[in-house]
């Protein structure tokens, strides 16, 4: 019996920025009758680019979802941005999709993000289809692009279409399975079994190649083929579907999103070939151990919040994939992160920014939910009493930061709330408060990611922001060992203040922190007041040395002192300790220390030399290299933090987007004196 789950197809459109993914999505909606005319990215009127920032930049900046019907099927179409800074949304789309359609530029061929995302999809064993787009453009070449795809992705790349004409002469496609031709005239598709004379011979040749490759997938079919028996289209398609699901075969189709040529063919093909949610492997969940949950509409309900978005009219919209069971409007599930019950007041079909209420969603479906109390991206919604949780996506740590502050003092609390909501919607962002530099820092995957987030924040919350570069948290340490006396005496009638401490200060090895030692004898300072000396020194260290940076890596040994039976107290000896440190700084001076980052740069091996030379110019110390697979190498280095604040942007430019960067704090080291 066919269920709703069997007729769902969850499709992620993947590819490099500018390949035409959003335009293809618009053409699909047009062919499905959802829109009366396709929108244009340049005009800001597409269904999936809903935010003003996307209209201003004429590019997708956030994951879009369009749910629509295609014949008997329910298509949930996910359109993540193609720009590298927003790769987090692409990872999210691949987490919930059951098939990835890679949209390839028919003129430019494979580009950087196509290759990177293909690798991720492969690691996650997601079946992949390639759609060579823009076949109507000048200099488009299916053969050249196909050769490039095969060169990068291997022999499993299998064309199932041939273009009929190219550039301005592109009018349709020849189906290599059926050997029919589908021609388009003013948007109408006409199917014929009569191939154009100029491609007939080539089509027959390519059909035979396809048959030879596909029959090898199934032994029975191969035997039948070797015995000279005819192979039916249905048998070919069955074997093709098996190879596709197993990840050994990747079909290639072609068309034009702008003219909606062969877009209906792509939708039909995906519905026939791609697996239903119930046919893909179960998802790993954690609870009392690790378990696998299969996509079964009769199972216990389990839902995964893969994205939250803020809508100016309805508030927060949670995009949810139903992993198991059947969910009804007004069902109550538990948010496994908070432990709180969440009533699903409204379930929604999502079409960009448009929402339609529905009563029920079966396993495998992707829906929206509103009016939830406290839900963030990555949350699991499970039945009461369940311990099952879906592991969150682990994103790369953000590497580019900008310091922000509210221009108006009255907006400071509002800014904190707004930043928290931004991170809830986009967990690839990070907001930190640096206690040393007193800056609030917003970090993202790159400069565009951060700038878009701040523009969205200003628009959505009406906060005027001040921005500045992230300050470097320098520190200081003493240049040598010294013994000083700190004397605090204040007498103004009545109870006074008196405390004297003799302290030896000596620098410690790097990153050892602060150590306080008591070597007094004979009760020169009461035992109860000695900790006050150490506290005063620590407080003075935090206030900074000669250059105003906090002092670190210091041992303070209190050797001697004096006290008064009436006038000595905790405050007096805190002051004595602080004064002793100031005297030590005046005597021997300080050395400025700078933070150093552990840097890992993964690039194609051909770029290894360029990266190492550039890191050297940034005062980096190369510590080694490691093979990263697929012709890549990871360069490992220690680089001063001040030298890598702009490195994410520089690396992208130097490697044409092929470099990947990981940064983490390593240690402090002596900063060279400026020349």
């Amino acid at each position: 019996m066919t269920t709703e789950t069997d007729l769902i197809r969850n499709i992620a459109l993947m590819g490099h920025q500018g390949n035409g993914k959003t335009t293809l999505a618009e053409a699909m909606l047009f062919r499905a009758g959802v829109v009366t005319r396709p929108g244009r990215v340049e005009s800001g009127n597409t269904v999936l680019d809903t935010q003003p920032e996307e209209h201003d930049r004429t590019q997708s900046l956030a994951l879009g979802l369009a749910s629509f019907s295609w014949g008997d099927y329910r298509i949930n179409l996910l359109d993540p941005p193609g720009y590298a800074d927003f790769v987090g949304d692409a990872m999210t789309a691949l987490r919930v999709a059951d098939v990835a359609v890679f949209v390839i530029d028919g003129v430019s061929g494979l580009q950087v993000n196509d290759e990177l995302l293909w690798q991720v999809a492969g690691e996650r064993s997601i079946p992949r289809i390639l759609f060579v787009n823009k076949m109507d453009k000048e200099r488009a070449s299916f053969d050249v692009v196909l050769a490039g795809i095969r060169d990068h992705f291997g022999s499993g790349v299998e064309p199932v279409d041939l273009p009929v004409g190219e550039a301005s002469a592109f009018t349709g496609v020849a189906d290599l399975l059926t050997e029919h031709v589908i021609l388009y005239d003013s948007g109408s598709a006409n199917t014929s079994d009569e191939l154009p004379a100029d491609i007939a011979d080539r089509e027959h040749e390519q059909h035979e190649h396809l048959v030879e490759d596909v029959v090898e997938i199934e032994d029975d079919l191969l035997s039948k083929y070797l015995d000279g028996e005819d192979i039916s289209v249905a048998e070919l398609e069955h074997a093709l579907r098996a190879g596709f699901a197993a990840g050994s075969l990747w079909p290639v189709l072609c068309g034009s999103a702008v003219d909606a040529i062969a877009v209906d063919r792509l939708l039909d093909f995906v519905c026939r070939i791609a697996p239903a949610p119930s046919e893909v492997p179960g998802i790993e969940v954690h609870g009392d151990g690790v378990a696998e949950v299969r996509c079964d509409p009769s199972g216990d309900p389990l839902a995964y919040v893969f994205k939250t978005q803020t809508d100016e009219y309805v508030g927060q919209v949670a995009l949810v994939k139903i992993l198991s069971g059947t969910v009804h409007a007004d069902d109550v599930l538990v948010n496994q992160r908070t432990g709180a019950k969440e009533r699903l007041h409204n379930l929604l079909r999502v079409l960009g920014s448009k929402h339609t209420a529905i009563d029920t969603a079966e396993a495998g479906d992707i829906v929206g939910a509103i009016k939830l109390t406290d839900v963030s991206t990555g949350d699991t919604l499970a039945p009461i009493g369940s311990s099952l949780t879906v592991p969150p996506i682990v994103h790369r740590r953000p590497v580019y930061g900008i310091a922000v502050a509210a221009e108006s003092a009255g907006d400071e609390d509002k800014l904190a709330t707004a930043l928290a909501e931004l991170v809830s919607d986009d967990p690839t962002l990070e907001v930190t408060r640096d206690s040393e530099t007193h800056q609030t820092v917003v970090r993202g995957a790159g400069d565009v990611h951060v700038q878009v987030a701040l523009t969205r924040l200003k628009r959505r919350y009406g906060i005027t922001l001040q921005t500045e570069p992230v300050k470097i948290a320098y520190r200081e340490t003493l240049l040598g060992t010294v013994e000083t006396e700190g004397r605090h005496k204040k007498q103004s009638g009545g109870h006074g203040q008196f405390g004297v401490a003799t302290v030896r200060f000596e620098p410690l090895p790097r990153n050892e922190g602060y150590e306080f030692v008591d070597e007094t004898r004979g009760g020169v300072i009461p035992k109860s007041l000695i900790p006050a000396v150490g506290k005063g020194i620590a407080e003075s260290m935090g206030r900074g040395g000669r250059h105003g940076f906090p002092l670190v890596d210091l041992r303070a040994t209190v050797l001697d002192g004096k006290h008064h039976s009436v006038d000595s107290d905790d405050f007096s000896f805190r002051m004595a300790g602080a004064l002793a440190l100031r005297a030590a700084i005046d005597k021997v001076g300080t050395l400025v220390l700078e933070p150093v980052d552990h840097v890992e740069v993964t690039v194609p091996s051909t770029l290894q030399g360029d990266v190492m030379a550039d890191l050297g110019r940034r005062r980096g110390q190369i510590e080694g290299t490691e093979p990263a697979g697929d012709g890549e190498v990871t360069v490992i280095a220690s680089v001063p933090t001040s030298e890598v604040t702009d490195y994410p942007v520089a690396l992208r430019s130097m490697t044409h987007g092929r470099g990947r960067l990981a940064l983490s704090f390593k240690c402090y080291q002596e900063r060279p004196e400026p020349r």
Side-chain angles (χ1 to χ4, degrees):
M1 175 179 170
T2 301
T3 68
E4 180 71 22
T5 296
D6 296 328
L7 296 175
I8 292 172
R9 295 294 182 268
N10 295 317
I11 307 168
L13 297 180
M14 310 302 291
H16 195 87
Q17 178 193 7
N19 285 6
K21 295 186 292 83
T22 301
T23 303
L24 177 59
E26 203 71 13
M28 289 178 170
L29 295 173
F30 173 65
R31 284 298 189 195
V34 177
V35 296
T36 55
R37 58 182 299 177
R40 298 177 69 249
V41 173
E42 298 80 3
S43 302
N45 60 352
T46 63
V47 170
L48 290 172
D49 286 347
T50 62
Q51 301 179 13
E53 294 79 24
E54 294 177 309
H55 302 160
D56 292 343
R57 291 176 176 263
T58 62
Q59 67 179 109
S60 299
L61 300 171
L63 176 62
L65 170 63
S67 183
F68 60 96
S69 297
W70 180 255
D72 294 332
Y73 292 88
R74 165 63 50 188
I75 304 289
N76 291 315
L77 191 66
L78 298 145
D79 179 27
Y83 193 75
D85 276 12
F86 303 94
V87 70
D89 272 352
M91 302 297 179
T92 297
L94 289 173
R95 178 67 175 270
V96 296
D98 301 315
V99 60
V101 173
F102 277 77
V103 183
I104 309 299
D105 192 311
V107 178
S108 302
L110 275 183
Q111 298 180 78
V112 176
N113 238 25
D114 302 328
E115 298 175 34
L116 296 178
L117 293 173
W118 182 274
Q119 182 178 347
V120 174
E123 291 169 355
R124 299 186 181 183
S125 300
I126 296 175
R128 284 149 283 169
I129 293 171
L130 298 109
F131 181 77
V132 180
N133 190 24
K134 302 185 182 181
M135 290 305 303
D136 57 320
K137 300 296 183 184
E138 291 301 321
R139 296 183 294 107
S141 173
F142 182 76
D143 290 342
V144 170
V145 171
L146 179 63
I149 294 172
R150 279 180 163 158
D151 183 53
H152 281 83
F153 299 154
S155 59
V157 172
E158 196 68 62
V160 294
D161 276 355
L162 283 181
V164 178
E166 288 183 344
S168 59
F170 178 62
T171 56
V173 296
D175 183 340
L176 294 178
L177 283 170
T178 64
E179 294 199 275
H180 290 165
V181 65
I182 310 164
L183 299 177
Y184 293 79
D185 181 18
S186 301
S188 299
N190 298 298
T191 301
S192 169
D193 58 3
E194 185 175 342
L195 295 168
D198 56 339
I199 68 164
D201 291 342
R202 184 178 172 219
E203 194 283 334
H204 291 315
E205 179 185 351
Q206 292 297 317
H207 170 77
E208 286 303 315
H209 283 309
L210 176 63
V211 171
E212 290 172 1
D213 290 343
V214 169
V215 295
E216 291 183 357
I217 295 170
E218 296 184 350
D219 292 340
D220 292 345
L221 203 60
L222 178 59
S223 297
K224 186 175 180 180
Y225 176 76
L226 293 175
D227 289 340
E229 298 181 42
D230 290 335
I231 309 297
S232 70
V233 172
E235 289 173 318
L236 279 176
E237 194 166 282
H238 182 273
L240 180 67
R241 195 171 195 269
F244 176 64
S248 61
L249 191 149
W250 306 299
V252 184
L253 293 84
C254 63
S256 165
V258 168
D259 294 329
I261 294 178
V263 172
D264 48 354
R265 153 82 172 149
L266 173 62
L267 283 168
D268 286 338
F269 188 82
V270 170
C271 289
R272 295 198 316 271
I273 298 298
S278 56
E279 296 175 310
V280 301
I283 188 167
E284 179 183 291
V285 295
H286 296 171
D288 298 328
V290 179
E292 182 184 274
V293 171
R294 300 284 302 184
C295 183
D296 180 2
S298 63
D300 292 333
L302 188 70
Y304 173 65
V305 180
F306 65 89
K307 185 76 174 176
T308 59
Q309 300 172 337
T310 300
D311 184 278
E312 59 181 315
Y313 300 109
V314 300
Q316 186 191 67
V317 179
L319 301 182
V320 179
K321 182 172 184 181
I322 312 301
L323 302 176
S324 174
T326 300
V327 176
H328 307 274
D330 284 328
D331 278 356
V332 175
L333 297 175
V334 174
N335 185 335
Q336 300 292 60
R337 175 179 58 88
T338 65
K341 296 179 181 178
E342 293 282 0
R343 182 177 295 276
L344 304 178
H345 296 282
N346 299 88
L347 296 177
L348 307 171
R349 284 271 171 246
V350 178
L351 184 67
S353 61
K354 297 179 180 178
H355 310 131
T356 305
I358 58 174
D359 296 324
T360 305
E362 283 193 2
D365 209 351
I366 294 175
V367 296
I370 58 174
K371 299 181 181 178
L372 301 178
T373 305
D374 180 17
V375 166
S376 297
T377 299
D379 284 350
T380 301
L381 304 178
I384 296 171
S386 172
S387 63
L388 298 182
T389 301
V390 179
I393 299 174
V394 179
H395 294 287
R396 289 186 217 152
R397 190 160 177 243
V399 293
Y400 182 87
I402 293 178
V404 300
E407 194 169 275
S408 166
D411 279 342
E412 288 180 359
D413 291 342
K414 191 176 178 182
L415 175 60
T417 301
L419 288 172
E421 291 183 6
L422 274 183
V423 174
S424 177
D425 284 356
D426 183 359
T428 63
L429 289 169
E430 178 183 273
V431 176
T432 57
R433 176 69 181 175
D434 193 311
S435 59
E436 290 186 24
T437 64
H438 308 292
Q439 288 183 312
T440 297
V441 179
V442 179
R443 297 187 186 277
D447 54 330
V448 174
H449 187 199
V450 174
Q451 290 292 353
V452 167
L454 297 185
T455 302
R456 188 175 295 143
L457 183 146
K458 295 175 190 177
R459 170 182 60 82
R460 190 181 292 173
Y461 303 98
I463 301 173
T464 302
L465 292 175
Q466 295 177 330
T467 61
E468 62 179 351
V470 177
K471 295 177 182 177
I472 305 301
Y474 293 106
R475 295 180 179 175
E476 298 179 52
T477 193
L478 287 179
L479 272 170
T481 299
V482 64
E483 186 176 308
T484 61
E485 180 185 84
R487 176 181 291 267
H488 177 71
K489 182 178 180 181
K490 187 174 183 181
Q491 196 71 42
S492 57
H495 183 69
Q497 298 173 359
F498 181 81
V500 179
T502 301
V503 184
R504 181 176 67 241
F505 295 96
E506 52 192 315
L508 290 174
R510 295 290 167 263
N511 308 298
E512 289 294 319
Y514 168 53
E515 182 181 331
F516 178 69
V517 181
D518 172 23
E519 290 187 1
T520 59
R521 298 289 184 270
V524 291
I525 302 174
K527 288 294 184 184
S528 62
L529 295 178
I530 286 175
V533 179
K535 188 174 182 181
I537 294 170
E539 290 171 346
S540 184
M541 289 172 66
R543 287 191 289 270
R546 280 185 173 176
H547 302 276
F549 305 123
L551 268 76
V552 295
D553 300 337
L554 180 65
R555 178 186 290 122
T557 305
V558 58
L559 304 170
D560 200 357
K562 296 178 183 178
H563 76 283
H564 189 278
S565 60
V566 175
D567 292 345
S568 293
D569 58 8
D570 188 88
F571 177 77
S572 299
F573 278 97
R574 282 167 55 195
M575 290 299 297
L579 290 169
L581 178 59
R582 304 323 294 181
I585 292 171
D586 290 340
K587 278 190 176 183
V588 299
T590 61
L591 178 72
V592 176
L593 304 175
E594 63 180 349
V596 175
D597 283 350
H598 175 78
V599 177
E600 295 186 5
V601 186
T602 302
V603 291
S605 57
T606 54
L607 298 173
Q608 175 181 336
D610 294 340
V611 168
M612 294 174 71
D614 185 65
L615 291 175
R617 287 190 289 270
R618 295 171 182 268
R619 298 190 287 125
Q621 297 294 319
I622 305 299
E623 298 176 354
T625 60
E626 295 179 354
D630 293 323
E632 292 186 323
V633 63
T634 298
V635 179
I636 303 169
S638 295
V639 189
T641 304
S642 61
E643 300 286 349
V644 291
T645 55
D646 66 339
Y647 194 55
V649 179
L651 180 66
R652 181 192 304 139
S653 176
M654 179 171 53
T655 65
H656 304 289
R658 295 181 182 276
R660 302 192 298 282
L661 174 65
L663 297 173
S664 60
F665 170 75
K666 181 178 182 181
C667 64
Y668 274 86
Q669 69 180 21
E670 178 180 344
R671 184 184 71 174
E673 289 294 327
R675 294 182 179 178

